[in-house]
Amino acid sequence: MSPSHLLAGAALCLLVPLAAVAGLEPIQIDDRLDDWAGVAPVHDDAGDSGGTVDFGRIWVANDQDYLYLRFETGSEVQPDEQQNIRLYLDTDLNADTGTAFGGIGAELMWEFGWREGTFRPGGTSYTIEHPDIGLMVGPTVSNTEFEVALRRDAVPAAGQNLFNGSTVRFILRDTDSGDVAPS
């Protein structure tokens, strides 16, 4: 999978096709990263933050069931508490819908440290929890590298699908350090 890079407002986001890759073994969210061996990083963002979190390399993969992200934080953080990392996921490629950030319109804005997110498929916002989007994160203890999986058939609220097309854009943001990836 070779994503295209787009300049989107103040932040660079990644455009990622969601076509299932033939022969790709499913990624297991199990704290072992050997299943990512055949996946090249789509971006390297290291060295541009003076804060605790400095996003490094980012990998993306998918299969018929999940979208997978893997990312480095530069320092040890707890994935589901005591930090303010956010994932902005634009699933309709329309900057005028969803939560506006970095030139994209994110239908999903997930706050890892709060263990909840906002699903905004149009003008209405819904607070959602991890089962609503089939979210899995590993490891669940402090580390410097994380894997994330999101169900491609998720229907978070109001009968609206999370993923409507074959391509997504995303941005990772740490609100404490100010680091944004890609940037």
Side-chain angles (χ1 to χ4, degrees), residues 62-150:
N62 68 274
D63 60 22
Q64 64 277 7
D65 298 320
Y66 288 94
L67 170 67
Y68 303 99
L69 299 172
R70 174 182 164 196
F71 59 91
E72 300 168 329
T73 57
S75 63
E76 197 164 301
V77 296
Q78 177 75 25
D80 59 356
E81 60 185 55
Q82 301 172 356
Q83 51 72 29
N84 287 302
I85 295 174
R86 293 181 179 175
L87 170 65
Y88 296 85
L89 188 63
D90 182 356
T91 61
D92 69 1
L93 305 183
N94 183 344
D96 295 326
T97 62
T99 301
F101 180 75
I104 69 173
E107 281 65 46
L108 174 68
M109 191 273 296
W110 185 260
E111 297 181 274
F112 289 97
W114 292 94
R115 298 182 208 134
E116 68 180 22
T118 302
F119 177 59
R120 190 170 181 190
T124 305
S125 293
Y126 303 93
T127 298
I128 59 169
E129 297 178 346
H130 65 91
D132 299 323
I133 54 176
L135 178 77
M136 295 182 283
V137 178
T140 57
V141 296
S142 62
N143 206 333
T144 61
E145 197 163 344
F146 298 94
E147 303 175 281
V148 175
L150 299 156

Side-chain angles (χ1 to χ4, degrees), residues 42-60:
V42 296
H43 190 71
D44 189 344
D45 198 74
D48 65 347
S49 171
T52 304
V53 171
D54 179 16
F55 295 112
R57 293 175 295 173
I58 303 169
W59 296 258
V60 179

Side-chain angles (χ1 to χ4, degrees), residues 1-5 14-21 42 60-63 66-67 93 152 165-170:
M1 173 177 355
S2 64
S4 303
H5 299 272
L14 286 178
L15 183 65
V16 181
L18 291 180
V21 178
V42 296
V60 179
N62 68 274
D63 60 22
Y66 288 94
L67 170 67
L93 305 183
R152 290 182 60 190
S166 60
T167 307
V168 299
R169 293 186 287 194
F170 74 90

Side-chain angles (χ1 to χ4, degrees), residues 24 27 33-41 59 70:
L24 178 65
I27 302 294
L33 303 173
D34 55 341
D35 48 358
W36 288 88
V39 181
W59 296 258
R70 174 182 164 196

